[in-house]
């Protein structure tokens, strides 16, 4: 077990930068360490937690439509035509992570000009893990939700931002490299400053339960 160090305690929005340069923002709880690498195969591990109460861990910027978040994001807002590769690992425990009947984003290709994601990866309640185009509300790929639970997953995003952009996103099982979900898209990938976010971001709903 890695030592567990609190970075955010859920008492309000907190912001910071990891040693790697990755940015983070949290209305919930965020810890460095505390995970079990033997089971999860994640050497540099962060634990994310959101309350099951609709009144706790709320982002103060969205009280009209209450939301919770613990997210990492790539530094800066990069320009059209630039290409980037992002990789990270995740572990979604089915016993401690309820999916949603609204939205529950785990990855976003975010466009400043659109004030939202162009593409996102969501877990939908009792259904599927999906990648969707937010601007067209189109489902690009989906797998049964149990395919991504209780496994250490490896995420790889290769993206070229801009009107003539490209996205190649793969979610695979870290232990053996088996592909679980794969998306290749060409076309609009945001503009006006773009970045990638991953972590947990959801609209609250009664009965949602905590997320860890």
């Amino acid at each position: 077990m890695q030592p567990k160090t609190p970075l955010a305690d859920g008492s309000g929005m907190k912001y910071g930068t990891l040693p790697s340069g990755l940015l983070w923002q949290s209305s919930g709880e965020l810890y460095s360490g505390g995970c079990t690498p033997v089971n999860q195969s994640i050497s540099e591990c962060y634990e994310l937690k959101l309350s099951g109460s609709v009144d706790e861990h709320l982002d103060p910027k969205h009280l009209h439509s209450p939301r919770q978040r613990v997210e990492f994001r790539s530094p800066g807002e990069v320009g059209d035509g630039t290409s980037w590769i992002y990789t990270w690992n995740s572990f979604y425990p089915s016993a401690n992570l309820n999916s949603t009947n609204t939205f529950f984003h785990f990855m976003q290709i975010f466009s400043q000009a659109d004030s939202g994601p162009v593409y996102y990866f969501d877990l939908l309640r009792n259904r599927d893990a999906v990648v969707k185009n937010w601007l067209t509300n189109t489902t690009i790929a989906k797998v049964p939700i149990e395919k991504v639970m209780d496994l250490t997953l490896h995420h790889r995003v290769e993206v070229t931002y801009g009107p003539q952009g490209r996205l190649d996103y793969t979610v695979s099982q870290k232990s053996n490299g088996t592909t679980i979900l794969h998306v290749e898209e060409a076309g609009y990938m945001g503009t006006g400053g773009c970045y990638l976010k991953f972590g947990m971001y959801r609209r609250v709903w009664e009965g949602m339960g905590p997320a860890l």
Side-chain angles (χ1 to χ4, degrees):
M1 180 76 72
Q2 299 175 351
K4 188 172 179 177
T5 304
L7 301 178
D9 61 5
S11 62
M13 280 300 298
K14 303 289 193 306
Y15 302 88
T17 304
L18 301 182
S20 64
L22 199 66
L23 307 179
W24 61 264
Q25 56 184 1
S26 176
S27 65
E29 298 175 32
L30 174 62
Y31 301 91
S32 173
C35 310
T36 308
V38 172
N39 295 329
Q40 300 178 16
S41 304
I42 302 175
S43 56
E44 184 180 344
C45 187
Y46 294 87
E47 184 178 300
L48 291 62
K49 184 177 180 180
L50 295 173
S51 171
S53 169
V54 297
D55 300 315
E56 296 179 345
H57 292 178
L58 300 181
D59 181 343
K61 294 181 180 179
H62 295 281
L63 296 180
H64 63 289
S65 175
R67 304 168 186 199
Q68 301 170 321
R69 70 172 81 225
V70 185
E71 295 178 299
F72 302 101
R73 57 159 286 183
S74 56
E77 296 168 3
V78 299
D80 296 356
T82 62
S83 298
W84 302 81
I85 296 175
Y86 309 100
T87 62
W88 70 97
N89 299 313
S90 67
F91 186 89
Y92 307 136
S94 58
N96 297 308
L97 180 61
N98 287 341
S99 51
T100 184
N101 54 6
T102 56
F103 70 80
F104 202 159
H105 296 334
F106 289 79
M107 185 281 293
Q108 300 178 65
I109 302 293
F110 200 90
S111 166
Q112 287 288 77
D114 298 291
S115 300
V118 182
Y119 289 89
Y120 61 81
F121 174 57
D122 261 31
L123 301 186
L124 301 179
R125 182 171 174 77
N126 299 326
R127 289 186 287 167
D128 302 304
V130 301
V131 176
K132 296 189 73 172
N133 183 313
W134 181 67
L135 301 177
T136 63
N137 196 31
T138 303
T139 298
I140 308 302
K142 66 179 181 179
V143 296
I145 199 167
E146 59 267 20
K147 295 280 189 181
V148 301
M149 292 294 191
D150 302 315
L151 293 171
T152 301
L153 304 176
H154 180 70
H155 302 254
R156 185 183 188 278
V157 172
E158 184 174 353
V159 60
T160 299
Y161 294 113
Q164 306 299 319
R166 177 179 173 272
L167 172 66
D168 189 319
Y169 177 38
T170 301
V171 180
S172 59
Q173 190 170 337
K174 187 174 185 294
S175 62
N176 57 23
T178 299
T179 296
I180 296 172
L181 183 147
H182 181 229
V183 170
E184 285 190 67
E185 290 286 299
Y188 184 74
M189 292 296 156
T191 190
C194 299
Y195 52 89
L196 176 134
K197 298 199 293 182
F198 64 95
M200 299 194 299
Y201 176 43
R202 68 179 179 181
R203 181 177 295 166
V204 304
W205 54 284
E206 290 287 352
M208 62 186 177
L212 175 63

